Amino acid sequence: MLTVTFQFTIPPGTPTNVRTAKRMDAVDSMTTAVAAIAGRALPPETQMTSRHQWGYVWHDKTTDPVTLGPPGP
């Protein structure tokens, strides 16, 4: 399985109704473009799914990686 993830931040203050229309147009365009590129670059039997998720981040804190346990030998 090959997974490629893109994450975009829409500028704050953009009206919700504009966000929706522009977002949906952008998602459709990107999905079409990725399918065309993959169709040329990958074997013909390759299947593709697209997931579009919209959400508001109420709290997001990401830490740096931490090594758990003692170092290996």
Side-chain angles (χ1 to χ4, degrees), residues 52-71:
H52 169 222
Q53 181 181 37
W54 176 258
Y56 292 95
V57 178
W58 294 104
H59 177 82
D60 182 7
K61 179 179 179 183
T62 304
T63 63
D64 291 330
V66 175
T67 302
L68 304 177

Side-chain angles (χ1 to χ4, degrees), residues 10-71:
I10 306 297
T14 304
T16 303
N17 59 344
V18 173
R19 285 183 179 199
T20 300
K22 287 186 176 186
R23 182 184 75 234
M24 294 307 293
D25 287 346
V27 169
D28 290 343
S29 295
M30 287 185 280
T31 301
T32 299
V34 169
I37 294 166
R40 290 190 305 267
L42 300 173
E45 300 82 20
T46 300
Q47 295 180 344
M48 180 182 114
T49 60
S50 174
R51 178 180 182 207
H52 169 222
Q53 181 181 37
W54 176 258
Y56 292 95
V57 178
W58 294 104
H59 177 82
D60 182 7
K61 179 179 179 183
T62 304
T63 63
D64 291 330
V66 175
T67 302
L68 304 177

